[in-house]
Amino acid sequence: MIGQDRTPCDEGALRAGASSDPACPARVRRWVLATSIIGSSMAFIDGSVVNVALPALQSELAASIHGVQWVVNAYLLMLGALILVGGAAGDRFGRRRVFVVGVVVFTLASIACGLAPGVDALVVARVAQGVGGALLVPNSLALISAAYPEDERGRAIGMWAGFSALTMALGPVLGGWLVDVSTWRAIFFVNVPVALAALMLAYLRVPELRGTARRAPLDWRGAVLATAGLGALAWGLTAAPGRGWANPSVLVALAAGALLLAAFVWSQRASRTPMMPLELFSSRDFSGANAMTLLLYCALGGAMFFLPFNLVALQGYSATSAGAAFLPLTLAMGALSRWSGGLVDRYGARLPLIVGPVVAAVGFALFAVPGIGGSYWTTFFPAMIVLGLGMAISVAPLTTAVLGSVDDRHAGTASGINNAVARIAGMLAVALLGAIAVVVFRSTLESRLDALQLDPEMRGAIEAQVPALAEARVPPQLQGFARHAVQFAFDAAFLHAFRIVMLVACVLSLAGAWCAARTIGASEKRGRAESAPDHDR
């Protein structure tokens, strides 16, 4: 039998690819950490790099905002809906094995994205990318958790998180530079050499590490229901602005999404091995932390989707400059994360989870202030810094609140659920705020076109550009003053839509703070009350 009569993670077990003991030697643990960081970096870079390339992608593929939304949402949908199943699959079939499968699927899908002839093919490839990400991301962390002893695990996970933050920070800059010097397709091809390095290390240096749930069945029914329900809901929200909210296909999609998600909840209640154990939500802190995650990351996801279009299409930034514009946000989050963790030790999780979203809401509101033109340092830089501060105050306490609300047996599942909620929040944000943006853009454009007194045929050609939003183009037959007036109308309409989106994000963030104030901290107060007599003695 593989691995029998061998010490855990020794040379023989390493060659055989089998180990079930987390006490791997230090030399093996270092390779496990390096492999996990390299492999997961693809998913983290991809999560931050694609948004910067969206304006160029939309322009080259002549895609509507609906199509561009699905370029983002197809990936987030599969990642959010399947990430819990991906982690459970690693426990059952082997974490290295599932990690490798995830890297291979992600890489092949990245190549397909780079070669996509149109937006429909790109969306299909992004679906496959999301499946690969759902396999590799949770198992990259699970490999570290299984390989390191408990007293060293926190430091290793901290290094993994630090490199993840670094790749997310550099992703937009790298993506923007690739778009400027080459094409948006290059952002997907860059995954190939990274994947080859991860696969080589995984096969040569990483032993197989299994969890204790090898015989537990996977909750495929729950995964299918969650994916279908969220997908139908997202499709209905993105299609509604173009087809109309009363369109039968939109109503059917929204109703089907609601019914499928209700069936998902029922399936979780009935399953012996659910992907999302509902008993965890009996904790007020756990439910509140995830509700706050949904609201805060919905605000963040919507803002980060629309900001590159403003920077590139309205402000005239190059793709590289637009990517660099995000650096203050990501660097502030990374640099202040340790300080934020100290706030939890000093004040508990509740106060930072109220203050953080409020500060973030100020950042979202500041994004709504700039017009067209002006120095980056006086327009978008202050908003980036304030938003980064707000998110930094929020992230570490949020993780603490989630993990502190459940017992140690469910810590991994609780963390996975919170991660999935954050991804799903981003997907819903792109769909919902995108729908709001199209409605506001159309209304503003129509009011401005009324003053130009264009003939009906020309006006129809102009209004046909509404689904393109920031990439709307003036019909070539329109010249002179009328052309400049229509272009100004396009710019003004998108700027107004952008401001509304940012203000909605501000409201969502404030709602997250309210949610934290109402729900987080019940266990902290109870714990302080119970410990008071001992302290007095």
Side-chain angles (χ1 to χ4, degrees):
M1 183 180 295
I2 293 177
Q4 188 174 359
D5 300 328
R6 292 189 176 99
T7 57
C9 285
D10 65 9
E11 290 296 336
L14 183 58
R15 286 192 296 270
S19 172
S20 59
D21 191 308
C24 291
R27 55 187 169 76
V28 176
R29 294 199 296 266
R30 287 193 292 268
W31 288 115
V32 170
L33 179 59
T35 304
S36 298
I37 289 172
I38 293 172
S40 60
S41 68
M42 293 192 302
F44 289 117
I45 290 175
D46 194 83
S48 61
V49 74
V50 171
N51 281 8
V52 177
L54 288 178
L57 182 155
Q58 182 183 14
S59 179
E60 181 176 325
L61 298 182
S64 67
I65 193 64
H66 176 85
V68 174
Q69 285 173 291
W70 274 107
V71 171
V72 175
N73 278 350
Y75 177 76
L76 293 177
L77 170 64
M78 303 310 292
L79 187 60
L82 299 181
I83 196 167
L84 293 174
V85 174
D91 290 340
R92 185 180 185 194
F93 300 114
R95 289 158 178 170
R96 185 190 70 166
R97 179 178 299 165
V98 177
F99 172 81
V100 166
V101 171
V103 172
V104 170
V105 171
F106 193 94
T107 307
L108 293 177
S110 296
I111 296 173
C113 287
L115 298 175
V119 70
D120 292 338
L122 179 58
V123 168
V124 172
R126 289 282 283 169
V127 167
Q129 240 190 348
V131 174
L135 296 176
L136 76 89
V137 170
N139 285 291
S140 67
L141 197 55
L143 281 171
I144 297 172
S145 180
Y148 279 79
E150 188 172 353
D151 60 340
E152 298 182 30
R153 194 174 299 155
R155 183 179 300 176
I157 291 175
M159 290 184 64
W160 178 87
F163 276 99
S164 299
L166 180 62
T167 56
M168 290 182 69
L170 296 179
V173 181
L174 173 64
W177 178 76
L178 288 172
V179 170
D180 282 339
V181 302
S182 179
T183 171
W184 62 265
R185 299 178 186 274
I187 68 172
F188 295 108
F189 292 133
V190 78
N191 290 329
V192 176
V194 178
L196 291 176
L199 291 174
M200 182 180 67
L201 290 177
Y203 274 110
L204 296 179
R205 297 294 181 179
V206 177
E208 185 56 277
L209 299 163
R210 294 183 184 272
T212 58
R214 191 180 306 182
R215 297 182 180 275
L218 300 181
D219 186 15
W220 290 114
R221 180 176 64 182
V224 170
L225 287 172
T227 304
L230 291 168
L233 193 62
W235 189 91
L237 290 173
T238 54
R243 300 182 180 221
W245 290 93
N247 184 278
S249 62
V250 172
L251 295 176
V252 168
L254 295 176
L259 290 174
L260 287 166
L261 290 177
F264 167 73
V265 173
W266 172 83
S267 76
Q268 298 305 283
R269 190 180 301 277
S271 175
R272 292 185 177 181
T273 57
M275 59 185 282
M276 190 180 74
L278 297 182
E279 62 266 22
L280 296 182
F281 290 90
S282 62
S283 165
R284 184 179 177 88
D285 282 20
F286 183 77
S287 297
N290 280 286
M292 183 206 151
T293 299
L294 184 69
L295 292 166
L296 181 60
Y297 279 84
C298 190
L300 183 66
M304 294 302 101
F305 176 81
F306 282 100
L307 187 55
F309 290 99
N310 189 328
L311 295 176
V312 174
L314 257 63
Q315 311 300 333
Y317 287 31
S318 67
T320 304
S321 298
F326 286 88
L327 275 176
L329 168 63
T330 51
L331 292 179
M333 290 177 63
L336 298 175
S337 58
R338 185 173 180 179
W339 167 76
S340 176
L343 294 178
V344 181
D345 297 335
R346 185 171 182 179
Y347 301 106
R350 183 174 184 271
L351 183 59
L353 289 181
I354 296 171
V355 174
V358 171
V359 175
V362 175
F364 291 125
L366 288 175
F367 278 121
V369 173
I372 300 175
S375 168
Y376 167 77
W377 302 105
T378 58
T379 53
F380 294 98
F381 176 75
M384 291 285 188
I385 288 293
V386 174
L387 179 58
L389 175 61
M391 292 302 299
I393 295 173
S394 305
V395 171
L398 185 57
T399 302
T400 301
V402 168
L403 297 181
S405 64
V406 300
D407 59 52
D408 290 341
R409 294 180 299 115
H410 295 118
T413 302
S415 178
I417 290 173
N418 189 249
N419 193 314
V421 168
R423 310 282 183 170
I424 290 167
M427 181 203 73
L428 294 176
V430 173
L432 179 60
L433 297 185
I436 292 173
V438 171
V439 170
V440 174
F441 183 89
R442 177 182 285 113
S443 174
T444 306
L445 180 65
E446 288 176 350
S447 66
R448 289 184 172 273
L449 292 180
D450 289 340
L452 296 181
Q453 299 181 346
L454 299 167
D455 65 79
E457 183 178 354
M458 179 58 66
R459 178 162 179 156
I462 294 170
E463 292 179 347
Q465 291 289 310
V466 166
L469 284 185
E471 292 297 321
R473 295 289 180 261
V474 181
Q477 61 269 36
L478 201 62
Q479 298 296 326
F481 171 79
R483 182 176 186 84
H484 290 293
V486 171
Q487 184 61 60
F488 181 79
F490 279 149
D491 293 344
F494 181 77
L495 179 61
H496 185 53
F498 176 82
R499 285 172 166 167
I500 294 297
V501 165
M502 293 301 153
L503 293 177
V504 171
C506 173
V507 171
L508 289 170
S509 191
L510 291 174
W514 177 85
C515 182
R518 297 285 295 178
T519 60
I520 304 296
S523 59
E524 291 177 8
K525 294 177 182 177
R526 186 165 55 249
R528 286 195 293 269
E530 292 172 354
S531 64
D534 295 333
H535 179 74
D536 291 340
R537 285 197 297 268

